[in-house]
Amino acid sequence: MRRLLLLAALSLAACAGNGIPPPDTVARVDLARYAGRWYEIARFPNSFQDGRQRRCVGVTVDYGREPDGTVSVVNRCRNAMDDGREIVARGWARASDGTNAKLRVTFFWPFFGDYWVIALDPQYRWAVVGTPDRENLWILARRPEMGAGAYSAAIGMARAEGFITANLVPTVP
């Protein structure tokens, strides 16, 4: 039991932060405009998309507004390690502040993860989404491809918020 308590205390201390403030988010997200299909252009490799038996390609995410104020989330990809079999993850999100730029997302309640909109094109053509610990980052666009200028702008905004953009891997369409 003591070992468990010590481990819990050490885990909480590690979560207390490294002294670096979290990244800034955009001032406001209009969830009605944000709703719809987004294509993943690049991401930091992560265990749920790049696990031992999966390699997500052709990644899309569909957001929808729900009557109760939550946001439906449907992630889809093809598993390149399993003959392109489709993987679908359904979840939901809720805003954790009044700006809608900080969302809490769950695919397996009661466990939630942070989803912060770090940068957003004024016309909602692309978005940069990350986590406050800077361990996860995604560049999303409304189309399966993104122009070089917009991609450079998105990377520059992520870098300005302290993300190590050299870790980005382009998503295979």
Side-chain angles (χ1 to χ4, degrees), residues 26 28 30 33 38 119-127 153 157:
V26 297
R28 178 153 174 63
D30 178 344
R33 290 181 71 194
W38 292 87
L120 182 61
D121 174 70
Q123 284 75 44
Y124 286 64
R125 293 176 293 202
W126 56 265
M157 291 177 182

Side-chain angles (χ1 to χ4, degrees), residues 1-9:
M1 183 65 160
R2 278 190 178 152
R3 184 178 294 173
L4 183 60
L5 289 173
L6 179 61
L7 183 60

Side-chain angles (χ1 to χ4, degrees), residues 42-46 134-135 137 151 163-170:
R43 69 175 175 260
F44 281 180
N46 59 69
R134 296 179 177 84
E135 294 292 319
L137 185 70
Y151 188 70
F163 288 87
I164 302 171
T165 56
N167 293 340
L168 278 169
V169 175

